[in-house]
Amino acid sequence: MYKPRFLLVTALFALLSMSAIAGDKVTEMRAVADSLHAIGRTDSAITVINSALEITGKQSGNTATLVGLHSALGVFMRSSGNIDGALKHYNEALRLSADKNFRDNADEDALQELASLYVNMGTLHLDMAHKKEAAVYAERSAETASRCKDNEFKSQLYGVAGSIMAGTGHPEKAVKYQEESYDNAVKAGNDDLSMRAAAYMMMTMNKLGRKKDIGKWRDRCTELLPRVPSMMSRLLYFQAECSIALSQKQTRKAITWFDSILALDGIANFPFVVYDCYNNIHTAYSDLGDYRNAYEALLKGNEVRDTLYEKQKAESLRDLTVKYDAKEKELALARSEAERANTRAWLAVVMTVLLIAILIFIIYAYRQRKIRHEREMEFNKLRSDTEHKLTARYIEGLENERGRMARELHDGVCNDLAAIRMHITDDKSQQSAIELIENCREQVRRISHELMPPEFKHATIDEVLQFYIDRLASTTGRNITYDSVPADTDWSTIHDDVSLEIYRIVQEAVGNAVKHASANRVSVELTRTDNGMELTVRDDGSTAASTQGGIGMRTMRQRAAAIGGTIAVETNEKGTTVKLTKNYGKP
């Protein structure tokens, strides 16, 4: 399903952080920082806010201002990927806001800063997949906003809180907050905010499957559309229509809405949205079998991607130009002073020329280093792709061979053993032989079943591993246990190919522990982490049967490499531990 890139999330945070604060200079710096962040110049925004903090820190009685500045820094650092820095400033803002005097005497500005801080914390926790904490902060922000008087601010904050609730799996609360957002926008007479709230309601109702309510909110958007000049609000409405059309398999309708987005005035200023549109148009035409238009959309998307890269380089050059112009102004000032003091003038000229030379050298060195880095990245990507293809081909061969062996065991050996059993008479000695043959036949049948890959389209990796471990424990009589952490993890999001390799690695590791290490206790644990997932197999078997070598260990490492993971083996007097680690961002 289409997941639109909502640029207005940045705009909302900018607006939420624009509450009135003491001091014209700090207010101006706050507005400049928000504008820089909105156009993607986050590093410059951080520099401006740090300067504002220095000014505000020298004054007294500005707790609300400090809370707002630290909250804004948290947003900017989160946008730039500096999560540790974001947490540091969020914690400082929370510490300041916990002051009893601040809480007891909170005016409109203080309440708005506090509500903005809570909603920013909720967004950060949502990004880090901490859904429970995200929902708590969203509720706190909404409760604080309810005590504010500014209807426009309340509309914006309720809208973000509703989005967080939708992302944490609380659709009914999301509906409640989005309705509050719409009602406050209507009270404020702000058609732009009303349109945004109505568009969010369309998407929320679509997630809940309430088609009738989708139509009700679509009618409100259609009514507001002629009165809303804001491109961002129109973009959000069109994105909502795209998402709904694709979820309802209305591919041609979705293409029409994507075309409407691309026709918006000023959309070229948001190349990431344009790039997303072309990518989704390409997929839609491919689903319709219209490969000519699909190819044209793909080419246009690639052009936008290349333009983005060039734009980033141009932005760096513009920053250098600003610095160069600043040095030129310093030179002009030095020359005017030279009329009064020749010695000072010559010194200023020499220093300026030296700085320009250093700047030119830095530019050249930076460009050369960037070119080398890009070439290294291209080579490493090519080598990685080649290794993954070879590994995948090897693993595919192993699976084909497993399937063939399973069929031969089941259809050949099992049937032959059954035929032998039928030809043996019923005396006592032969009855013992019958029991041995029957036991052998059941073991061969179990092995053949284990060789066949599980059907992950009917079960998750968590369910398949639980079934396999329970069955193995009952048949071997060993203490073999399985656990998944955390307990409420949605394992259905793991791709089938990744699930199969994890399943095979567990089979190999547990089999080594039971058959070769003579382990009495084996534990298997599958853990979902912030960065990916971990699989740990521990046993108390003989250390002489370490899995450091042999075809089994080599196969496990190849399977791990096929899914972008790594295998680590640790053996000591207590037994052996096999750990698979897979991080996000890897295939």
Side-chain angles (χ1 to χ4, degrees), residues 409-573:
L409 285 171
H410 189 276
D411 298 339
V413 178
C414 285
N415 290 340
D416 289 344
L417 290 172
I420 293 172
R421 183 181 182 283
M422 292 174 61
H423 286 81
I424 295 177
T425 59
D426 293 331
D427 58 47
K428 293 183 178 180
S429 61
Q430 291 170 340
Q431 182 63 31
S432 177
I434 290 173
E435 292 176 356
L436 290 174
I437 291 172
E438 185 64 24
N439 182 54
C440 178
R441 180 168 175 262
E442 287 302 319
Q443 290 188 33
V444 171
R445 182 186 298 275
R446 177 178 58 81
I447 293 171
S448 69
H449 287 172
E450 290 181 0
L451 284 170
M452 294 300 290
E455 292 288 339
F456 287 104
K457 66 181 179 179
H458 301 304
T460 65
I461 179 61
D462 180 55
E463 294 168 338
V464 169
L465 287 180
Q466 185 69 65
F467 176 78
Y468 169 70
I469 294 300
D470 290 346
R471 184 176 178 185
L472 188 62
S474 65
T475 55
T476 61
R478 307 288 178 88
N479 185 358
I480 307 175
T481 61
Y482 169 74
D483 191 20
S484 61
V485 181
D488 60 349
T489 300
D490 182 9
W491 294 104
S492 63
T493 59
I494 306 301
H495 196 274
D496 291 356
D497 294 340
V498 175
S499 297
L500 177 60
E501 302 307 335
I502 293 174
Y503 174 69
R504 291 303 190 203
I505 290 172
V506 170
Q507 281 188 309
E508 191 69 43
V510 175
N512 285 339
V514 173
K515 297 175 184 177
H516 303 304
S518 301
N520 293 316
R521 297 175 63 88
V522 182
S523 67
V524 180
E525 183 178 286
L526 186 62
T527 305
R528 195 69 178 266
T529 66
D530 292 340
N531 295 324
M533 67 176 64
E534 290 182 354
L535 170 70
T536 306
V537 181
R538 296 185 179 89
D539 68 71
D540 63 353
S542 171
T543 58
S546 171
T547 57
Q548 291 289 349
I551 189 172
M553 193 64 238
R554 186 165 63 254
T555 301
M556 283 194 286
R557 294 189 187 278
Q558 289 167 341
R559 290 188 181 279
I563 60 175
T566 57
I567 289 286
V569 180
E570 180 181 348
T571 301
N572 52 40
E573 66 277 1

Side-chain angles (χ1 to χ4, degrees), residues 326-337:
K327 296 302 176 184
E328 285 294 314
K329 291 178 181 179
E330 291 177 8
L331 178 59
L333 179 61
R335 286 173 178 170
S336 65
E337 293 177 350

Side-chain angles (χ1 to χ4, degrees), residues 359-406:
L359 184 61
I360 294 174
F361 174 77
I362 291 174
I363 295 173
Y364 175 78
Y366 171 77
R367 292 182 63 183
Q368 293 299 315
R369 185 167 64 253
K370 190 169 185 178
I371 290 172
R372 287 197 303 272
H373 179 69
E374 289 174 354
R375 290 176 178 173
E376 289 175 0
M377 291 291 289
E378 290 177 359
F379 174 76
N380 290 334
K381 185 178 184 301
L382 177 61
R383 181 172 62 184
S384 177
D385 290 344
T386 302
E387 290 176 352
H388 283 157
K389 288 179 181 178
L390 291 175
T391 303
R393 190 176 302 167
Y394 175 78
I395 296 299
E396 183 180 359
L398 284 180
E399 287 303 318
N400 291 337
E401 184 64 15
R402 279 178 175 270
R404 184 188 65 80
M405 292 174 62

Side-chain angles (χ1 to χ4, degrees), residues 112-213:
Q112 290 188 20
E113 295 291 7
L114 189 59
S116 301
L117 172 62
Y118 286 151
V119 85
N120 290 338
M121 288 292 293
T123 303
L124 178 61
H125 279 294
L126 185 61
D127 287 347
M128 298 174 70
H130 301 161
K131 294 185 177 181
K132 181 178 179 181
E133 291 82 358
V136 169
Y137 277 109
E139 289 184 333
R140 288 181 183 177
S141 67
E143 190 278 328
T144 306
S146 68
R147 293 185 280 153
C148 296
K149 299 177 182 178
D150 189 330
N151 288 324
E152 288 191 358
F153 173 81
K154 292 166 70 173
S155 173
Q156 295 169 71
L157 193 131
Y158 277 125
V160 180
S163 299
I164 294 174
M165 282 302 184
T168 57
H170 298 85
E172 296 300 334
K173 288 188 177 180
V175 169
K176 173 186 174 183
Y177 290 152
Q178 295 297 355
E179 286 179 336
E180 290 281 359
S181 175
Y182 180 80
D183 291 343
N184 279 281
V186 171
K187 290 177 183 177
N190 192 318
D191 291 338
D192 185 67
L193 292 178
S194 299
M195 171 74 101
R196 297 186 189 192
Y200 271 123
M201 284 297 290
M202 283 178 60
M203 288 183 284
T204 305
M205 292 305 173
N206 183 54
K207 288 183 180 180
L208 294 173
R210 291 157 58 172
K211 294 184 178 180
K212 183 177 179 181
D213 289 323

Side-chain angles (χ1 to χ4, degrees), residues 141-363:
S141 67
E143 190 278 328
T144 306
S146 68
R147 293 185 280 153
C148 296
K149 299 177 182 178
D150 189 330
N151 288 324
E152 288 191 358
F153 173 81
K154 292 166 70 173
S155 173
Q156 295 169 71
L157 193 131
Y158 277 125
V160 180
S163 299
I164 294 174
M165 282 302 184
T168 57
H170 298 85
E172 296 300 334
K173 288 188 177 180
V175 169
K176 173 186 174 183
Y177 290 152
Q178 295 297 355
E179 286 179 336
E180 290 281 359
S181 175
Y182 180 80
D183 291 343
N184 279 281
V186 171
K187 290 177 183 177
N190 192 318
D191 291 338
D192 185 67
L193 292 178
S194 299
M195 171 74 101
R196 297 186 189 192
Y200 271 123
M201 284 297 290
M202 283 178 60
M203 288 183 284
T204 305
M205 292 305 173
N206 183 54
K207 288 183 180 180
L208 294 173
R210 291 157 58 172
K211 294 184 178 180
K212 183 177 179 181
D213 289 323
I214 294 174
K216 180 183 74 174
W217 289 103
R218 177 182 285 122
D219 291 342
R220 296 187 184 181
C221 287
T222 305
E223 179 185 350
L224 289 165
L225 193 60
R227 307 201 303 267
V228 175
S230 168
M231 187 274 287
M232 296 299 294
S233 296
R234 287 172 170 261
L235 171 61
L236 177 58
Y237 168 56
F238 292 161
Q239 286 178 321
E241 291 286 15
C242 288
S243 179
I244 293 171
L246 287 179
S247 69
Q248 296 177 356
K249 308 299 183 183
Q250 298 175 348
T251 307
R252 293 193 180 280
K253 193 175 197 180
I255 292 173
T256 302
W257 284 112
F258 280 122
D259 289 338
S260 298
I261 293 175
L262 294 173
L264 285 171
D265 290 336
I267 194 65
N269 295 325
F270 302 99
F272 286 108
V273 174
V274 175
Y275 180 56
D276 280 350
C277 284
Y278 281 126
N279 272 347
N280 283 281
I281 291 173
H282 158 70
T283 303
Y285 275 125
S286 297
D287 292 341
L288 293 173
D290 187 349
Y291 299 109
R292 179 177 179 180
N293 281 322
Y295 180 69
E296 290 179 356
L298 180 63
L299 290 179
K300 291 178 180 178
N302 289 339
E303 289 177 4
V304 176
R305 180 194 61 197
D306 295 340
T307 302
L308 282 171
Y309 180 72
E310 293 297 328
K311 186 175 180 180
Q312 290 172 352
K313 293 194 294 184
E315 189 66 31
S316 298
L317 290 175
R318 278 196 293 272
D319 289 341
L320 292 174
T321 301
V322 171
K323 295 178 182 178
Y324 181 83
D325 289 342
K327 296 302 176 184
E328 285 294 314
K329 291 178 181 179
E330 291 177 8
L331 178 59
L333 179 61
R335 286 173 178 170
S336 65
E337 293 177 350
E339 297 176 358
R340 297 186 299 270
N342 290 331
T343 302
R344 289 179 57 196
W346 279 108
L347 180 60
V349 170
V350 171
M351 290 300 295
T352 303
V353 172
L354 179 61
L355 287 172
I356 293 174
I358 293 173
L359 184 61
I360 294 174
F361 174 77
I362 291 174
I363 295 173

Side-chain angles (χ1 to χ4, degrees), residues 57-73:
K58 298 176 182 178
Q59 304 170 357
S60 60
N62 289 313
T63 303
T65 302
L66 289 171
V67 169
L69 291 174
H70 281 292
S71 179
L73 261 179

